[in-house]
Amino acid sequence: MRFFLPGVHVPHRKTTADMPPVRMPAPSEVVIPMSMHIGKPAIPVVSVGDQVFVGTLIANKDGFISSPIYSSVSGKVKAISEVTLPSGAKTLAVKIESDGEMTVDPAIKPPVVTTKEELVAAIAESGTVGLGGAGFPTYVKFSIPEGKSADTLIINGAECEPYITSDTRTMIDKSDDMLRGISIICDLMDIKRVIIGIECNKKAAIEKMRELAAKRPEIEVSVLPAVYPQGGEKVLIYHTTGRVVPAGKLPIDVGCIVSNCTTVAAIGNYVNTGIPLVSKCVTVAGGAMREPKNVIVPIGTRISEVFEFAGGFSEQPYGIILGGPMMGYTVDNTDVSVVKGTNALLALTEKEMKPKKETACIHCGACANHCPFGLNPAAFMKAYRLGNVDELARLRVDICMECGCCSFICPAAKPLVETNKLSKAKLRAHLEEKKKIAEASAEAKK
């Protein structure tokens, strides 16, 4: 018998679920970072003064785990300079002054895709990355290593974070693109089973996905409890197939590929039109928003312009979050850009966001009891504060997915997920230092 992994019941607040996305006009300029994905930043291939169009290549991927980047507007390259990302990291960005025309690059045409190799190449060329927020280059997932195989494609339609409904709208509005993506993946990669996992609170999306499933015998819809983090990759694999991904292993090790529903739709759209990833459906919501809505935004648009398009603020936000409140980034200004992985912009009131006052740990065990992976965040915090890296390794802090369940459920309002992140960074640095010492020792013995 399979049991559902623990998690937490978060408030849904899906107020924009019934709102089809609206496309915002071309912004006056876009600032497109070269690091919008996990892996090495892309390398600019344009120069200041170059004319570009929607879909013009502006940066090539750099190595295997990287992704190309395309212009989201038509206009001229204004600058190539360094910017600071919400994470605090710095990267180059291409600034393009829009001509307001949104002219599509005349060289664009649908790719020829008749083999598995051509499909993987097309996914790479499309610039598609994990659009649920992870940002992992999608073609890498479909580049199955020698000796491994995938029999199941799991499509993540859980969208378990509060407020966000952009994936819901993909399933409702872009089911044709999803079907194209699923069909070509199944036909060329010999996928025998496709499972679309959706939380039970998305009734319109479930109905639409069941209509889609009726068109391909491989497809089934798995309706799941609305428990966060249902959309976590390993959580979703277990709840839809019963397979357990061991610590340190990947979905392909248990025969699965997991892809977000919007990612699959982007693949279908690229194969059909040849237009790469240049825009993103973004949920604009929160108690401080005047007109919450779903918006189709050119990548690189400043979030200030997106908020303005959504009617502006009804009151001064207590905080602004890129992404969801559980795993998103808090930003202190609105000059940052919408990137490939941006699925929500939240302007939250003090009531929605102000943290509880931290108090002493009462050793209740709630953090461990609600962790999907059975980890012990309270023990992580103790080991981190003592500087005990060996204990952090023994406790397996490295497999924490930083979902935030522990912080959400903690009655003492301890900064558990933040400490988990710091602990993982400390452990990585420690292991890297040990590796350097070992290499230097080996070199000295030669």
Side-chain angles (χ1 to χ4, degrees):
M1 180 177 180
R2 186 163 83 250
F3 297 94
F4 280 93
L5 299 174
V8 293
H9 292 278
V10 295
H12 299 299
R13 296 174 181 164
K14 307 281 191 178
T15 56
T16 57
D18 296 328
M19 299 180 183
V22 290
R23 187 178 296 274
M24 68 177 291
S28 57
E29 67 177 20
V30 291
V31 180
I32 305 178
M34 297 295 95
S35 182
M36 294 191 285
H37 49 262
I38 292 173
K40 297 181 72 173
I43 302 172
V45 295
V46 291
S47 301
V48 173
D50 284 358
Q51 173 74 48
V52 296
F53 302 96
V54 175
T56 298
L57 180 72
I58 62 172
N60 270 324
K61 67 186 181 76
D62 182 15
F64 183 59
I65 303 182
S66 187
S67 182
I69 296 172
Y70 298 84
S71 177
S72 59
V73 297
S74 53
K76 288 192 174 180
V77 177
K78 190 174 181 181
I80 301 173
S81 56
E82 191 176 75
V83 297
T84 301
L85 300 173
S87 64
K90 295 183 182 298
T91 186
L92 284 179
V94 175
K95 182 183 289 188
I96 302 170
E97 187 174 26
S98 171
D99 60 15
E101 299 296 324
M102 297 298 281
T103 305
V104 175
D105 194 315
I108 283 179
K109 59 182 179 181
V112 175
V113 181
T114 58
T115 66
K116 172 185 172 182
E117 292 72 24
E118 287 175 343
L119 173 61
V120 172
I123 296 172
E125 290 162 4
S126 73
T128 303
V129 301
L131 299 179
F136 191 77
T138 301
Y139 87 97
V140 177
K141 286 189 175 183
F142 288 91
S143 302
I144 300 174
E146 190 72 30
K148 299 186 186 296
S149 62
D151 56 45
T152 303
L153 171 65
I154 301 171
I155 297 178
N156 188 349
E159 199 164 51
C160 52
E161 283 242 24
Y163 296 98
I164 309 176
T165 63
S166 51
D167 282 347
T168 297
R169 292 314 313 181
T170 290
M171 291 184 282
I172 295 171
D173 304 321
K174 299 290 185 180
S175 61
D176 287 347
D177 282 336
M178 284 185 64
L179 183 60
R180 285 191 197 95
I182 292 169
S183 296
I184 198 163
I185 291 167
C186 286
D187 292 343
L188 298 182
M189 298 198 68
D190 197 29
I191 297 291
K192 304 298 186 186
R193 187 184 185 196
V194 178
I195 307 172
I196 304 174
I198 315 178
E199 284 191 327
C200 60
N201 60 347
K202 300 170 180 64
K203 299 192 183 305
I206 290 169
E207 182 179 344
K208 196 72 176 180
M209 289 299 95
R210 282 177 171 159
E211 292 175 7
L212 183 153
K215 299 175 182 178
R216 292 278 310 202
E218 302 94 337
I219 304 174
E220 60 189 88
V221 177
S222 179
V223 179
L224 304 166
V227 179
Y228 178 86
Q230 192 66 263
E233 195 170 62
K234 293 182 179 181
V235 175
L236 191 62
I237 290 171
Y238 179 73
H239 286 169
T240 55
T241 68
R243 301 176 190 178
V244 176
V245 181
K249 298 294 184 179
L250 298 171
I252 193 64
D253 293 306
V254 295
C256 296
I257 297 173
V258 182
S259 193
N260 172 268
C261 60
T262 301
T263 305
V264 173
I267 294 170
N269 178 66
Y270 181 70
V271 169
N272 185 48
T273 67
I275 297 176
L277 182 62
V278 293
S279 63
K280 188 71 194 297
C281 179
V282 178
T283 298
V284 186
M289 283 307 305
R290 196 179 304 279
E291 300 172 14
K293 53 172 59 82
N294 290 299
V295 183
I296 299 175
V297 183
I299 289 169
T301 303
R302 288 187 175 88
I303 67 171
S304 57
E305 295 191 51
V306 184
F307 281 130
E308 183 179 351
F309 177 73
F313 303 133
S314 58
E315 62 179 271
Q316 185 62 32
Y318 184 82
I320 292 172
I321 296 178
L322 294 179
M326 298 297 287
M327 295 187 73
Y329 284 101
T330 301
V331 295
D332 57 7
N333 69 78
T334 56
D335 285 335
V336 297
S337 300
V338 168
V339 297
K340 291 181 180 182
T342 305
N343 51 15
L345 299 175
L346 306 181
L348 304 182
T349 63
E350 182 174 2
K351 181 179 179 181
E352 291 173 301
M353 189 175 179
K354 187 175 182 179
K356 297 179 291 185
K357 183 179 179 181
E358 184 179 347
T359 59
C361 175
I362 60 173
H363 306 286
C364 63
C367 58
N369 291 338
H370 288 81
C371 175
F373 294 166
L375 302 175
N376 190 338
F380 295 158
M381 177 171 280
K382 181 179 179 181
Y384 176 77
R385 289 177 173 174
L386 292 172
N388 192 339
V389 183
D390 291 335
E391 181 67 358
L392 289 172
R394 187 189 71 79
L395 292 166
R396 296 309 308 265
V397 70
D398 57 303
I399 67 172
C400 168
M401 64 175 169
E402 303 172 14
C403 65
C405 284
C406 51
S407 289
F408 178 84
I409 205 68
C410 178
K414 292 292 183 184
L416 296 171
V417 69
E418 292 88 347
T419 304
N420 293 359
K421 293 178 182 181
L422 293 170
S423 298
K424 289 169 71 176
K426 182 184 282 288
L427 178 59
R428 283 194 298 269
H430 174 73
L431 294 175
E432 186 63 32
E433 184 63 25
K434 284 182 66 175
K435 180 181 177 183
K436 289 179 180 178
I437 292 170
E439 289 173 349
S441 177
E443 186 68 26
K445 291 177 181 178
K446 287 182 180 179

